[in-house]
Amino acid sequence: EAQVTQNPRYLITVTGKKLTVTCSQNMNHEYMSWYRQDPGLGLRQIYYSMNVEVTDKGDVPEGYKVSRKEKRNFPLILESPSPNQTSLYFCASSSQSPSSYNEQFFGPGTRLTVL
Amino acid sequence: GNSVTQMEGPVTLSEEAFLTINCTYTATGYPSLFWYVQYPGEGLQLLLKATKADDKGSNKGFEATYRKETTSFHLEKGSVQVSDSAVYFCALIVRTGNQFYFGTGTSLTVIP
């Protein structure tokens, strides 16, 4: 089954404790992206990757890191989480660039709470 | 810059009512436009899309027409069902860019 998986689905942590949210897709997609969803703000793009070893900042990259060492994986790293990073996070992937108007497939989301 | 503005929710309708969710955009280039739907507890799914002016995207009884003159992409459905209850997001990407821009989402609840 074609899918984007994220782990963990739920995470409660404390300020300053490094964490990683994993994202994996099995569709051989070149493009992968991370979003955060907050009430009243919709979805905002954090980082995206056009292909292996190619990443770029979205609208809200501060406090986040990403890496793309393999095509299928695109982990989101919070080196020193803070309470304002409490949010619902989504990973998404699509074939080629979204400029090719291809559909983005979204993961089920990770709800992160930073105390 | 690039941005998407959606009508504020929540929207509550009775079954079989007509639905319109407004979406307008600003874009520095020529955008492609999308509607995504998010059912409770799930990720987003593409509902429909349009890539050039006057295109009409349609799926599952929903329609939206790309209106360049009014920079709009309003979502419509003639007769909603309880199963249409979800959050709907309008989004765009410009052809020369690689970033998606989403609206704030509109929550729809359909009551029997």
Side-chain angles (χ1 to χ4, degrees):
Chain A
E1 179 190 357
Q3 60 182 350
V4 178
T5 56
Q6 295 179 228
N7 282 292
R9 293 290 310 278
Y10 302 90
L11 179 60
I12 300 174
T13 189
V14 296
T15 299
K17 186 176 181 181
K18 181 180 178 180
L19 66 92
T20 299
V21 183
T22 64
C23 173
S24 183
Q25 51 93 4
N26 62 1
M27 295 168 280
N28 201 36
H29 285 165
E30 293 85 1
Y31 185 95
M32 297 186 75
S33 180
W34 276 103
Y35 298 87
R36 59 177 290 173
Q37 182 179 10
D38 301 290
L41 297 176
L43 267 76
R44 293 177 294 168
Q45 198 165 26
I46 303 171
Y47 270 95
Y48 61 93
S49 170
M50 300 293 294
N51 214 322
V52 175
E53 302 293 359
V54 181
T55 63
D56 213 339
K57 296 178 181 178
D59 283 337
V60 289
E62 292 77 21
Y64 304 95
K65 286 176 57 177
V66 293
S67 68
R68 188 90 182 273
K69 292 181 168 45
E70 306 166 283
K71 199 172 187 179
R72 63 183 292 124
N73 296 322
F74 191 47
L76 180 69
I77 303 157
L78 284 72
E79 294 270 4
S80 183
S82 62
N84 64 12
Q85 293 178 297
T86 292
S87 188
L88 179 59
Y89 291 86
F90 288 101
C91 181
S93 74
S94 67
S95 65
Q96 301 178 346
S97 156
S99 301
S100 301
Y101 324 125
N102 286 321
E103 175 180 353
Q104 281 201 102
F105 291 83
F106 281 80
T110 295
R111 185 164 292 283
L112 172 66
T113 301
V114 183
L115 302 175
Chain B
N2 301 307
S3 66
V4 175
T5 302
Q6 284 181 239
M7 66 182 282
E8 293 289 329
V11 174
T12 302
L13 294 174
S14 297
E15 207 165 21
E16 299 184 3
F18 184 86
L19 169 70
T20 298
I21 301 178
N22 291 337
C23 171
T24 57
Y25 67 88
T26 59
T28 54
Y30 199 115
S32 292
L33 303 172
F34 306 83
W35 277 102
Y36 279 83
V37 58
Q38 183 181 32
Y39 297 104
E42 298 183 11
L44 281 72
Q45 304 172 28
L46 180 66
L47 181 60
L48 53 84
K49 66 182 180 185
T51 59
K52 61 183 188 295
D54 299 325
D55 268 2
K56 178 185 282 188
S58 61
N59 186 26
K60 300 181 181 179
F62 290 90
E63 293 182 339
T65 301
Y66 187 143
R67 301 288 188 199
K68 189 177 180 183
E69 64 275 14
T70 55
T71 62
S72 65
F73 193 54
H74 305 321
L75 183 68
E76 295 181 337
K77 187 174 186 182
S79 176
V80 294
Q81 305 300 311
V82 172
S83 57
D84 294 327
S85 298
V87 180
Y88 293 82
F89 291 91
C90 187
L92 72 80
I93 185 168
V94 294
R95 289 187 182 180
T96 54
N98 296 304
Q99 278 188 253
F100 264 82
Y101 297 87
F102 283 81
T104 54
T106 302
S107 175
L108 169 67
T109 300
V110 180
I111 55 178

